[in-house]
Amino acid sequence: MGPWFDILKRHRVMRASAAAVFLYGFSGAATSPYQSMIAIKELGMSDGGYAALALAAALANVFMAIGVGMISDRFQSYRRPLIFVSCFGILGFGLVWAFPSVTTFTIAILGPLALFHAMNSMLFGNVRAHSARFDPEEARIANALMRIMISLSWVLMPGAVGLLLAGRDSMVFAYLIAAVVALGIFLTVTFWMEPDTKTRPIEITPRPAALHDLRRIIAPRLLLRVLGIALISQVLHVNAALLPLVVTGSAQGQTADVGFLVGLVAVIEVIFMVFWSRVTRTLRITTALLICSALYLAYLGAIAAATAPWHIYVASCIAGFAAAGIISLPISYLLDLISDRPGLSASLLAVNVFLGGGLGAAMFGIGTTFGGYGLAAVLSGIAGCVGAGLVMALEWKTP
């Protein structure tokens, strides 16, 4: 682990970015597990209304991430947009806590918080912009380190918030916690992250009209690669929906088993993200993604056939190992697709989340309609392998 600590010691931008992304993960982990419950059970939103809001918010996040990324590239500044975006996290989370209602919740999710969630891709873009001055080994592990920080926050925060709010009549207080965490992000970026003029990021090539950058995003060669990565990523979305249903259904487990399994997989993910980062020194990312997708297909097939909780516990060890690669490896791959536009390439992370969620919803819907949870699991795993094969085929001629 020496090089992982050395990169933090040597580069202030990595220390500040790692701290900021850790706090960003905290804000999501404090609210996301309870968001649907708060919206539907506490505020009175309908199931259909919440589903429509979630879709609209995902679209808003994609467009805002692309817009902020393009602005950052054009002005060759990443710290100032990060400061700006962090303010909207304080505003959005604070609004929901201070004025809990369906109207306020909808405005906050579609406006301030959709913009705040561009923070994730922008932090990765900031690291990508500065990593040109790192040595090759540091540049290789930088993105993996950032992803590990998010995973660590998800290991710690959901349980802590659950314990803190246990016995309360309302879970809206979680949004106050998230607002305080967003304030921490603002302070971290403002006072800890070095100004761009002091440690100049990579020099971006001459900046043509914004329309040119948009055309690069929708170019077929890039869209096919993003589609392939989204097909891989959708397995995580499908698993998130299936796991509680299978554990408490055919596996005859308890609700508590779901929490233990999520925590188990998160811990394994953190450990093996380091492994996959080291493996890609000698193994192509596309090959590693194919291996991870095949292993995740085996895991999904195992939970489809599970009839006891221990079956899923054993299978989850495979899931953690494979998910570590599926979570971390696409980040480096996507960031390299538009290497001279760090902000724009980072916005592809938001596009991937959106497409992965949509494809996952389609796999879940088709599978459960025609064959139940088991078919949904296997169909999703096969689609993930197809995505990995597509990406490998597209990169086949790349040296």
Side-chain angles (χ1 to χ4, degrees), residues 276-290:
W276 286 114
S277 175
R278 290 177 176 175
V279 163
T280 50
R281 295 175 184 173
T282 55
L283 188 70
R284 291 169 66 110
I285 286 181
T286 51
T287 304
L289 283 170
L290 183 60

Side-chain angles (χ1 to χ4, degrees), residues 285-357:
I285 286 181
T286 51
T287 304
L289 283 170
L290 183 60
I291 293 170
C292 291
S293 299
L295 289 172
Y296 212 84
L297 170 59
Y299 157 73
L300 289 171
I303 68 168
T307 56
W310 71 267
H311 295 165
I312 300 183
Y313 276 96
V314 172
S316 291
C317 295
I318 301 173
F321 178 70
I326 292 173
I327 291 170
S328 60
L329 296 176
I331 293 173
S332 297
Y333 181 81
L334 291 171
L335 289 176
D336 287 339
L337 289 181
I338 316 177
S339 57
D340 61 332
R341 293 286 192 275
L344 192 61
S345 65
S347 71
L348 295 178
L349 302 180
V351 174
N352 179 55
V353 170
F354 174 72
L355 288 179

Side-chain angles (χ1 to χ4, degrees), residues 179-247:
V180 173
V181 173
L183 175 61
I185 298 172
F186 170 79
L187 295 174
T188 298
V189 175
T190 303
F191 298 107
W192 196 358
M193 193 171 287
E194 296 165 303
D196 293 325
T197 54
K198 190 172 181 179
T199 54
R200 172 62 68 185
I202 62 173
E203 278 301 319
I204 298 173
T205 54
R207 290 163 282 179
L211 184 60
H212 179 271
D213 284 344
L214 287 176
R215 286 173 178 165
R216 295 182 68 175
I217 288 183
I218 62 175
R221 61 169 295 277
L222 188 143
L223 280 181
L224 284 173
R225 287 166 168 79
V226 173
L227 175 61
I229 295 296
L231 281 168
I232 298 170
S233 300
Q234 58 80 28
V235 299
L236 302 175
H237 296 274
V238 172
N239 179 65
L242 285 176
L243 185 64
L245 300 170
V246 173
V247 169

